[in-house]
Amino acid sequence: MTNTAQINEAGTGNMENVGNAGNPANVASSARGTAPADGPAARSPRVNFAQAAPKAFKALIGFDAASREGLDPALVELVQIRSSQLNKCAYCLHMHTSDARKAGESEERLHMVAVWAEAAHFFTAKERAALALTEAVTLVAQGGVPDEVYDRAAVHFDDAELARLLALIFTINTWNRLALSTGKVPGTDER
């Protein structure tokens, strides 16, 4: 997967206001990369992070790209989907379920990600270990990362893979927070 997904996640390439440019609310929100005030989410204009903090944005893209190296692309999408579900980030959830479908992921498995522990037979032991770690890290304030969860992941990933998996979980949590706090609208990732 290219970094285009993250570029759009963070606020560039957003075309949802094309055709409504004459409306002052739409002009302001278009400049910021968020929904217009009278748009689908009726949000006030928010900062376009990529434009306002380009060094931080580029650093996040680099961190994200480095985290993916050597990880199975299907696993990457499952982790990103689960974190986005937990964080209630519809923008990222739409993006990553769409990416997973395009990469050949089954609808059946996509529907089971939210209940992966109860639908274990849909996922490999390695995927289940990654999903458990994703939940623990994403919800870290609710009880840390239990040794049992970490140890299960360590059985399936060598140290370098485990470090990249953790980095992937860190980055998707950051992308979720960026999309939520800047008011990104699901389905507007014009890739």
Side-chain angles (χ1 to χ4, degrees):
M1 180 178 179
T2 66
N3 289 331
T4 306
Q6 283 67 40
I7 292 169
N8 288 326
E9 240 175 89
T12 62
N14 194 336
M15 300 291 289
E16 77 264 16
N17 298 317
V18 173
N20 294 317
N23 180 332
N26 291 337
V27 171
S29 61
S30 179
R32 292 186 179 264
T34 59
D38 62 346
R43 291 187 178 113
S44 61
R46 299 204 178 170
V47 68
N48 180 317
F49 184 80
Q51 290 177 358
K55 285 183 181 180
F57 177 69
K58 287 178 184 176
L60 184 54
I61 289 174
F63 187 44
D64 184 85
S67 73
R68 297 165 180 266
E69 283 184 22
L71 294 178
D72 175 17
L75 179 73
V76 167
E77 294 304 332
L78 292 175
V79 165
Q80 292 174 321
I81 289 166
R82 188 62 187 132
S83 180
S84 298
Q85 290 170 334
L86 293 168
N87 287 319
K88 299 179 182 177
C89 183
Y91 182 86
C92 295
L93 183 59
H94 179 271
M95 178 181 293
H96 295 295
T97 54
S98 296
D99 289 347
R101 282 184 189 95
K102 288 175 190 170
E105 186 61 77
S106 74
E107 287 297 317
E108 194 169 46
R109 277 175 35 107
L110 288 175
H111 292 297
M112 295 294 117
V113 173
V115 293
W116 66 269
E118 292 79 25
H121 63 285
F122 285 95
F123 303 98
T124 67
K126 186 173 187 173
E127 289 169 337
R128 291 191 308 270
L131 290 167
L133 187 62
T134 299
E135 288 186 1
V137 173
T138 299
L139 303 173
V140 70
Q142 295 180 14
V145 178
D147 288 341
E148 170 190 310
V149 171
Y150 184 90
D151 293 344
R152 187 171 7 146
V155 166
H156 296 284
F157 297 90
D158 65 30
D159 285 350
E161 290 172 321
L162 186 55
R164 288 192 307 275
L165 176 60
L166 285 167
L168 176 69
I169 298 166
F170 303 157
T171 57
I172 188 56
N173 274 278
T174 301
W175 289 123
N176 290 163
R177 283 151 177 75
L178 196 154
L180 287 164
S181 60
T182 61
K184 295 296 167 206
V185 178
T188 61
D189 48 301
E190 299 281 333
R191 291 180 287 160

